[in-house]
Amino acid sequence: MKKLQNHLIGVDQGEVVLFSDFETDGPMWSGDGHRSLRRAVTFSSPYRSLPMVQCWLSMVDISNTTNCRTDVQAEDITEAGFAIVFQTWGDTKIARVRVAWQSIGEVPHDDDWDVV
């Protein structure tokens, strides 16, 4: 459990269309085997410390002729942003994906001191 030690808590959120491979016959639609994609996300303003980040599929358009294999995660989390990592494998054919995300954490306060 992450315990927040600041009375100022920030919540940021957004959605990202990761790809639309059916339009270009891209690898998520036409490929097979392990495939992955990373997309950098920048928070609207930096957090004071590492925030908690969740991400989930908010839209997936997938072929009905193959198995549905998907994995989405938040990685490389910093105070300024993170990376959405989407993966699939096997014969799965994915036309397009949109990922929603939310971050929660301590935000800086005007009274914070940075003594060097």
Side-chain angles (χ1 to χ4, degrees), residues 14-21 23 37 39 58-59 84 95-101:
E15 280 192 306
V16 178
V17 175
L18 290 184
F19 59 86
S20 190
D21 278 7
E23 295 172 341
L37 182 134
R39 177 71 52 88
S58 58
M59 186 276 299
I84 296 172
R96 59 186 162 188
V97 162
R98 183 176 62 229
V99 173
W101 61 270

Side-chain angles (χ1 to χ4, degrees), residues 10-14 43 47 51-54 82 101-105:
V11 178
D12 203 355
Q13 63 184 11
F43 300 130
Y47 286 93
M52 300 294 293
V53 179
Q54 294 180 323
F82 69 102
W101 61 270
Q102 184 177 61
S103 59
I104 302 172

Side-chain angles (χ1 to χ4, degrees), residues 39-89:
R39 177 71 52 88
V41 173
T42 303
F43 300 130
S44 58
S45 61
Y47 286 93
R48 181 179 182 193
S49 60
L50 290 181
M52 300 294 293
V53 179
Q54 294 180 323
C55 57
W56 60 93
L57 294 173
S58 58
M59 186 276 299
V60 61
D61 183 2
I62 193 164
S63 171
N64 66 356
T65 63
T66 62
N67 289 318
C68 177
R69 300 176 187 97
T70 61
D71 179 40
V72 64
Q73 297 181 34
E75 293 185 353
D76 303 327
I77 300 167
T78 69
E79 290 85 354
F82 69 102
I84 296 172
V85 179
F86 177 86
Q87 299 180 81
T88 190
W89 57 95

